[in-house]
Amino acid sequence: MVGHAIRGWQRAALLQLLFAAALPGAQAQPTAADAGAQGPGSPSANGSYFGSRLVPPKPEGSCPPNIGPMYQADAIVTGTDMRQRPWGFAQTLRVVLVKSSGDPRLKDDPRTAQLAQHADRFVACFDYVDMMAAVPLHDDQGTSDRPHKLTVYFIPAEIDALLAQFGDKPWRGERPVVVPVLLVHGRKPPPYVLSAEIPAGEEQRGSFATAADQFGMDVRIPSEAELFDWGASVVHFPSEPLPASDGEAIVVGTLDWSESLPGWIGKWRLRWHGTDYSWGISGVNYDAAFRNIVRGVVLAASGAGSPDQGN
């Protein structure tokens, strides 16, 4: 009896130790260079699915302080091991170079492609969040293949130094809020002006917010009342850019579905600091169309270039 009791206590203690060891895997992890000093069996070196399910990420515990949103980005990867971590680092480096500089052209710059191959050199820390954390587990099969959101925090000084190599600099200060005024002719009638209330624009409003976040920007969809005040309706739509207010960049345009392409055709106009800009895109889904709008605003507002410089 006593022997069995002791063995039961030992098993309970062992389980408690294993549970405690799994917890750090969900917290912000050091870079690959730092992880080597922790030993190959460390959860922070290889990630931990078990820990990422149970504990929310706490980057402030391991990251240098005051890493702002312009120096961090997310990517969806498979698992928490090294299968897709280098790819995730590369993708987030591209995003951070654009967000921090206000120059979208850096994303596809050949020099960026070379740097992305060694993106871990510029990483301060990273963490994972299990995208299926709310889904109950029935067994261990396939748990290593679950999708995770990888959040990567880059070293600001390193990113600033890379921008200097490109002849760019960090985009400091306030950024304008993108305000789209769009007349939409979709696959099925009737046409509509995208507003904060119209049911037909629900998915497009979400897509616009995602597009803005990729550039470190905010978007505000105007209300029906604002559109009425601006004279923007299906029967009467502004033919000239609307003047931007303080802190806002108002983009006026049309978004038309084409069966022959197939895809959306977008034409946009912006008046920013007394200068009128016009640009557009065609043969794309509306996610790409909205990225094109935000990209143009970023180029104009940051001073990095003209909105019509590529897509």
Side-chain angles (χ1 to χ4, degrees):
M1 294 287 292
V2 175
H4 289 297
I6 292 175
R7 285 195 293 274
W9 174 85
Q10 289 173 330
R11 284 195 297 271
L14 179 59
L15 289 172
Q16 186 175 9
L17 287 173
L18 289 173
F19 178 77
L23 294 182
Q27 297 183 358
Q29 303 173 23
T31 64
D34 295 333
Q38 299 178 9
S42 166
S44 61
N46 298 310
S48 169
Y49 161 75
F50 183 57
S52 66
R53 276 191 77 234
L54 297 179
V55 181
K58 298 179 180 179
E60 66 274 13
S62 302
C63 282
N66 301 323
I67 295 182
M70 297 303 108
Y71 296 99
Q72 57 184 267
D74 302 324
I76 304 301
V77 298
T78 298
T80 61
D81 52 31
M82 291 300 294
R83 285 174 297 170
Q84 287 198 324
R85 188 182 300 167
W87 176 86
F89 281 3
Q91 299 307 305
T92 51
L93 176 63
R94 295 175 186 272
V95 173
V96 162
L97 287 173
V98 171
K99 288 170 65 174
S100 60
S101 67
D103 189 350
R105 297 167 299 183
L106 293 184
K107 181 179 180 180
D108 299 317
D109 192 299
R111 296 170 295 178
T112 299
Q114 294 178 356
L115 291 170
Q117 296 177 11
H118 309 285
D120 60 304
R121 298 176 180 176
F122 316 112
V123 174
C125 59
F126 60 96
D127 61 46
Y128 290 95
V129 172
D130 184 356
M131 302 299 290
M132 299 177 63
V135 179
L137 285 179
H138 299 289
D139 53 49
D140 291 335
Q141 184 177 3
T143 55
S144 62
D145 294 327
R146 291 163 73 98
H148 287 73
K149 182 175 76 171
L150 169 63
T151 301
V152 185
Y153 303 80
F154 288 88
I155 303 170
E158 294 284 355
I159 297 300
D160 292 352
L162 293 179
L163 296 181
Q165 293 179 23
F166 290 143
D168 277 289
K169 59 183 179 180
W171 184 17
R172 310 292 189 191
E174 293 292 327
R175 302 187 176 202
V177 176
V178 181
V179 182
V181 180
L182 301 182
L183 175 60
V184 181
H185 289 85
R187 300 187 184 192
K188 298 180 180 180
Y192 59 90
V193 178
L194 182 64
S195 71
E197 298 94 347
I198 191 166
E202 180 178 0
E203 291 186 0
Q204 293 175 341
R205 289 190 289 269
S207 174
F208 225 125
T210 300
D213 183 67
Q214 293 175 0
F215 292 91
M217 302 287 283
D218 291 321
V219 63
R220 185 180 68 80
I221 308 298
S223 66
E224 297 280 359
E226 285 179 295
L227 293 171
F228 178 82
D229 290 340
W230 293 338
S233 67
V234 172
V235 296
H236 182 273
F237 196 75
S239 58
E240 296 294 330
L242 295 172
S245 60
D246 291 340
E248 292 188 335
I250 303 177
V251 179
V252 177
T254 56
L255 187 64
D256 299 312
W257 175 257
S258 170
E259 291 288 353
S260 59
L261 286 175
W264 293 94
I265 300 173
K267 298 179 181 179
W268 335 115
R269 301 184 300 279
L270 166 71
R271 179 169 296 156
W272 182 253
H273 290 178
T275 300
D276 287 352
Y277 300 97
S278 61
W279 71 104
I281 195 169
S282 64
V284 297
N285 58 28
Y286 59 70
D287 299 305
F290 296 157
R291 284 195 298 270
N292 185 251
I293 290 177
V294 180
R295 181 185 185 277
V297 172
V298 168
L299 280 167
S302 68
S306 175
D308 60 359
Q309 294 180 337
N311 293 320

